[in-house]
Amino acid sequence: MATQPTVYVTRRIPDAGIDRLEEKYNVHVWEEKTPPSKDHIIETLADIEAEGLLCLLSDEIDGEVMDASPNLKVISTFSVGYDHIDMDDAADRDLPVGHTPGVLSETTADFAWSLLMTTARRTVEGQDYVLDGKWETWGPKLLTGPDVHHATLGVIGLGNIGTEVARRAGGFDMDVLYSDVEPNEASESELADVGVDAEYVDQDELLAESDFISLHVPLLDATHHLIGESEFQQMKEEAILINTSRGPVIDPEAMDTALENDWITRVGLDVTEPEPLPADHELTRHIPEQLVVTPHIASASIQTRNKMARMAADNLSAGLEGEPLPNSARKD
Ligand code: GLV
């Protein structure tokens, strides 16, 4: 019997994916809770002469990693974002790279909404208030926050996830503005079909007009620190900013200054710079009154993580079998 190809999986992903791989391959899984170091990934790929690498967004994958195993045929990431993979290095080596678009858009949009609702209506503060024994009576002005319904939502980046976030705004009778590198007519018409009139505006107008701003851009050179001091200054004092995209899309020092000086009201983050955010990071002093932070869990529904696992396994299999990946991240 021919030997099975060997693959390295840099964390235990749901069984839905691992089982698929184990049917056909010799699967090595990094079993720790925290990621393997880059050196460890390189050593393992070399030792097992891996043909496939299934990685996570917390692994840095560059040319050095790609060259570690002489047999490497494919990289598949258990994420939609692939800013942790050097795509130029992959292109130089003609190495296919798979990712998991689509399956997590609605789940991530649901979570962006949960951060939006939480920051607007102060649920984390409310829970702390109860646990701190401060709840003595019903209060006419206790923990008041802005209305979400009929407010203006600004979506920066109307891709798959941004579109789902905008779609949900229909249920709250919100006005929806969006900015992007260019108008997205397909999404506009999809949204119009469900009664959401998403208006394309430039980013300056969106920042100035929105009550809630939700970020949905990929992390690129052009979007690194897209939201800095001048962008915070353009926002309304009442504005609430939500980030479920990538931490470095916001300049953390500018965010600290903006919160310190009440340039805006609150921020809800599922992604941070640095990530993970240490509990003693200076930004955490704004929690919970001005800041709510969750540990990068926007796509973490059980169903979606299972779908991502199957998709990542299928991308890896296709690459190993020399077929086009069902979901390729390579645009060249
Ligand atoms: C999550 O952030 C992902 O890119 O899948």
Side-chain angles (χ1 to χ4, degrees), residues 257-285:
T257 308
L259 292 175
E260 187 64 41
N261 295 295
D262 296 320
W263 291 349
I264 69 168
T265 292
R266 262 185 290 285
V267 176
L269 301 177
D270 185 49
V271 287
T272 58
E273 180 184 4
E275 189 171 308
L277 190 72
D280 61 357
H281 190 279
E282 58 188 352
L283 272 174
T284 62
R285 75 184 187 286

Side-chain angles (χ1 to χ4, degrees), residues 205-223:
E205 185 176 344
L206 182 145
L207 295 174
E209 298 297 327
S210 301
D211 302 303
F212 298 92
I213 298 168
S214 196
L215 303 177
H216 300 289
V217 290
L219 179 59
L220 307 166
D221 288 344
T223 58

Side-chain angles (χ1 to χ4, degrees), residues 35 41 77 99 143 203 211 219 247 252 255 257:
I41 298 178
T77 182
H99 68 143
L143 292 173
Q203 185 176 288
D211 302 303
L219 179 59
M255 174 159 50
T257 308

Side-chain angles (χ1 to χ4, degrees), residues 5 47 50 69 77 79 85 102 107 110 117 143 159 188 219 234 245 262 271 326 331:
D47 278 357
S69 161
T77 182
S79 61
I85 302 176
T107 303
D110 288 350
M117 298 297 283
L143 292 173
E188 275 186 41
L219 179 59
Q234 289 175 72
S245 63
D262 296 320
V271 287
K331 303 285 175 254

